[in-house]
Amino acid sequence: MTQASGAEQELPAAELSDLQLRILDFERQWWRHAGAKEEAVRAEFGVSGARYYQLLNAVIDSPAAIVHDPMLVRRLQRVRDHSVAARSARRLPGSPRD
């Protein structure tokens, strides 16, 4: 449907765009299977999963998002930080150890 535009990124810190609010509302739902969420992302937002997560990460880094729903945003930040740490901790087979 709608993709983020440059105008949405220029909003004052105290405001969230309609798309950003929709993303936060969408993240309040719980998904049993990752595939179901990916399908719902494409149906709801009309973007790929990768693009959706780019948009989501930008939203949860916004001070306005923390003001809007601090518990949800902090949970999403923790999940993201854990995923980043887990990816960083993985080593490719045959890579040198530090």
Side-chain angles (χ1 to χ4, degrees):
M1 285 189 219
T2 306
Q3 292 188 2
S5 67
E8 289 177 0
Q9 295 175 358
E10 295 172 10
L11 292 174
E15 294 182 31
L16 292 172
S17 70
D18 288 338
L19 176 61
Q20 291 169 326
L21 291 170
R22 287 178 45 220
I23 288 172
L24 289 175
D25 287 341
F26 186 80
E27 284 299 318
R28 284 188 192 94
Q29 300 176 45
W30 291 91
W31 304 94
R32 291 181 182 211
H33 307 288
K37 183 175 183 180
E38 297 296 323
E39 289 176 22
V41 162
R42 188 163 298 282
E44 178 71 23
F45 300 102
V47 297
S48 69
R51 178 66 181 141
Y52 173 78
Y53 285 106
Q54 289 173 340
L55 295 170
L56 174 62
N57 285 327
V59 171
I60 65 175
D61 286 337
S62 162
I66 294 174
V67 170
H68 177 74
D69 192 337
M71 289 181 62
L72 173 66
V73 171
R74 288 193 180 104
R75 177 178 62 84
L76 294 171
Q77 288 172 336
R78 280 192 308 272
V79 169
R80 177 189 60 192
D81 294 346
H82 177 74
S83 296
V84 168
R87 271 193 307 274
S88 296
R90 287 188 214 131
R91 296 187 186 271
L92 295 175
S95 65
R97 299 204 177 235
D98 293 332

